[in-house]
């Protein structure tokens, strides 16, 4: 089987089955995709302009990643599309995730007018726009501040194939053909199945995260660039209607968790109640509101604890207590 490599000159920021393939591969081939962070290099440009300060240890690394903005509509920078020879509508594309390598640095942000779960509510409490820069060079963990260490488990936030409906389509919402699913369990060793709707499938991926809690509550995980290595297979007439996957992980690895709960007839409201209570726990440990919010997005898991006890649903927010260490 052949190995291929797509670099950052094969970027696009929409889903569109009219996009010309950047690469054609055979079923069983392996492809490595170089990827750009979700800001399209915007965070690096802010550091270069002086708009955003960076730790001395990261400054030169970030400047080395500065590149011009992408042309065209704003969206996740995706590497592709990859045409898989033989893939036809009705088939499934089976994708083995062989390796996920991050850049040397990453970022997590929040802002009062953003897309996070609590942005509007926290704006009334004085939430400010905030970007935290992470040193990812250790490979296994990243220190948030002295005494707080987040384990890393990199995965692609966006991976999908082109929909049959004429485009262009924005990259933000996930779809039945994949896309911006932000499933943090899609780490190396996972296998993903996607329903094929157009000839060649037209696979693209990007938006690597070095770590993320289930829910990505501030709207960002630990966003980073890097490399994603996949092996692709065509499964004829698989009858798939939505993405499916196998994974070697199902949750975090902390030995002890602190969980807060929310109860409400609306799942989003229940999630907000649980998360706000969890942020108070972090603030009680001395974190600012902004730091509590972005740290939660990197490692706190939202889970539906029950959905059958009418009229209220229960959502729990799980904080891994192993992130806290002696300074």
């Amino acid at each position: 089987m052949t190995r291929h490599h797509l670099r950052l000159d094969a970027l696009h920021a929409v889903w569109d089955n009219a996009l010309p393939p950047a690469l054609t591969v055979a079923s069983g081939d392996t492809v490595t995709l170089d990827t750009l962070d979700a800001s399209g290099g915007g965070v690096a440009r802010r550091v270069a302009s002086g708009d955003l300060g960076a730790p001395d240890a990261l400054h030169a690394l970030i400047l080395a990643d500065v590149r011009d903005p992408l042309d065209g509509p704003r969206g996740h920078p995706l590497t592709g599309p990859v045409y898989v020879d033989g893939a036809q509508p009705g088939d499934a594309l089976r994708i083995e995730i062989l390796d996920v390598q991050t850049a040397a640095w990453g970022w997590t942000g929040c802002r009062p007018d953003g897309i996070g779960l609590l942005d509007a509510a926290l704006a009334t409490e004085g939430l400010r726009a905030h970007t935290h820069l992470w040193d990812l060079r250790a490979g296994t963990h990243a220190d948030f501040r002295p005494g707080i260490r987040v384990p890393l488990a990199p995965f692609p936030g966006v991976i999908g194939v082109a929909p049959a409906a004429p485009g262009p389509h924005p990259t933000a919402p996930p779809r039945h053909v994949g896309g911006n699913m932000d499933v943090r369990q899609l780490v190396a060793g996972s296998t993903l199945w996607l329903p094929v709707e157009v000839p060649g499938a037209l696979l693209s991926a990007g938006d690597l995260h070095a770590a993320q809690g289930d829910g990505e509550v501030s709207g960002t995980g630990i966003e980073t660039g890097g490399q994603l290595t996949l092996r692709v297979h065509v499964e004829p007439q698989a009858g798939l209607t939505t993405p499916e996957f196998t994974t070697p992980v199902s949750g975090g690895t902390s030995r002890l968790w602190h969980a807060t709960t929310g109860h409400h007839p609306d799942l989003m409201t229940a999630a907000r109640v649980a998360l706000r209570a969890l942020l108070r726990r972090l603030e009680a440990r001395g974190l600012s509101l902004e730091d509590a919010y972005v740290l939660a997005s990197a490692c706190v898991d939202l889970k539906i604890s029950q959905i059958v006890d009418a009229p209220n649903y229960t959502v729990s927010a799980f904080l891994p207590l192993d992130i806290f260490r002696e300074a």
Side-chain angles (χ1 to χ4, degrees):
M1 302 301 178
T2 305
R3 293 180 173 271
H4 309 267
H5 193 165
L6 268 184
R7 304 187 187 276
L8 292 182
D9 53 359
L11 292 175
H12 61 96
V14 295
W15 294 108
D16 193 336
N17 60 37
L19 290 173
L23 176 70
T24 297
V25 304
S27 180
D29 282 1
T30 297
V31 57
T32 295
L33 307 175
D34 291 350
T35 68
L36 189 60
D37 75 283
S39 75
V43 170
R45 290 192 295 273
R46 288 179 60 201
V47 171
S49 71
D51 178 57
L52 177 64
D56 291 342
L58 293 180
H59 197 266
L61 293 170
I62 295 173
L63 292 185
D65 287 341
V66 172
R67 56 183 292 127
D68 293 334
L70 296 176
D71 294 330
R74 184 176 179 181
H76 295 89
L78 304 181
T79 308
V82 176
Y83 186 101
V84 183
D85 201 24
Q88 294 295 326
D91 296 346
L93 196 63
R94 173 164 55 92
I95 304 161
E96 298 175 69
I97 300 177
L98 302 180
D99 191 39
V100 188
Q101 295 291 327
T102 73
W105 65 280
W107 62 274
T108 306
C110 66
R111 63 181 192 269
D113 60 347
I115 62 171
L117 182 62
L118 288 179
D119 289 354
L122 295 182
T124 66
E125 300 182 39
L127 180 74
R128 299 166 296 168
H130 178 63
T131 301
H132 180 83
L133 298 172
W134 302 80
D135 188 336
L136 306 179
R137 287 175 292 177
T140 56
H141 63 271
D143 289 328
F144 185 71
R145 61 160 60 177
I148 303 178
R149 175 171 290 180
V150 174
L152 302 183
F155 69 97
V158 179
I159 182 168
V161 295
H169 303 279
T171 61
R175 297 175 171 83
H176 61 286
V177 288
N180 188 30
M181 298 183 290
D182 288 319
V183 176
R184 72 174 181 86
Q185 289 80 11
L186 287 175
V187 296
S190 301
T191 299
L192 172 67
W193 286 262
L194 297 173
V196 174
E197 290 197 342
V198 300
L202 298 180
L203 171 69
S204 298
D207 185 34
L208 297 193
H209 295 172
Q212 178 202 287
D214 284 329
E216 197 183 24
V217 295
S218 81
T220 52
I222 300 183
E223 309 290 334
T224 184
Q227 279 192 342
L228 175 65
T229 301
L230 311 170
R231 184 181 294 125
V232 297
H233 309 263
V234 176
E235 294 191 355
Q237 298 303 304
L240 209 66
T241 59
T242 192
E244 301 179 14
F245 63 93
T246 61
T247 177
V249 298
S250 62
T253 58
S254 184
R255 293 165 297 174
L256 191 65
W257 303 73
H258 185 100
T260 55
T261 64
H263 312 274
H264 197 275
D266 178 73
L267 272 174
M268 288 292 284
T269 301
R272 291 184 176 111
V273 170
L275 178 59
R276 188 64 190 95
L278 197 284
L279 295 187
R280 292 190 187 98
R281 285 287 179 177
L282 290 171
E283 289 176 283
R285 288 178 174 267
L287 272 67
S288 68
L289 177 61
E290 292 79 15
D291 274 345
Y293 199 19
V294 299
L295 177 62
S297 204
C299 66
V300 167
D301 291 335
L302 290 183
K303 299 181 183 293
I304 299 175
S305 295
Q306 67 82 18
I307 201 167
V308 295
D309 297 332
N312 287 341
Y313 306 130
T314 299
V315 175
S316 300
F318 287 79
L319 171 69
L321 294 180
D322 279 6
I323 68 170
F324 298 105
R325 298 164 177 263
E326 294 297 326

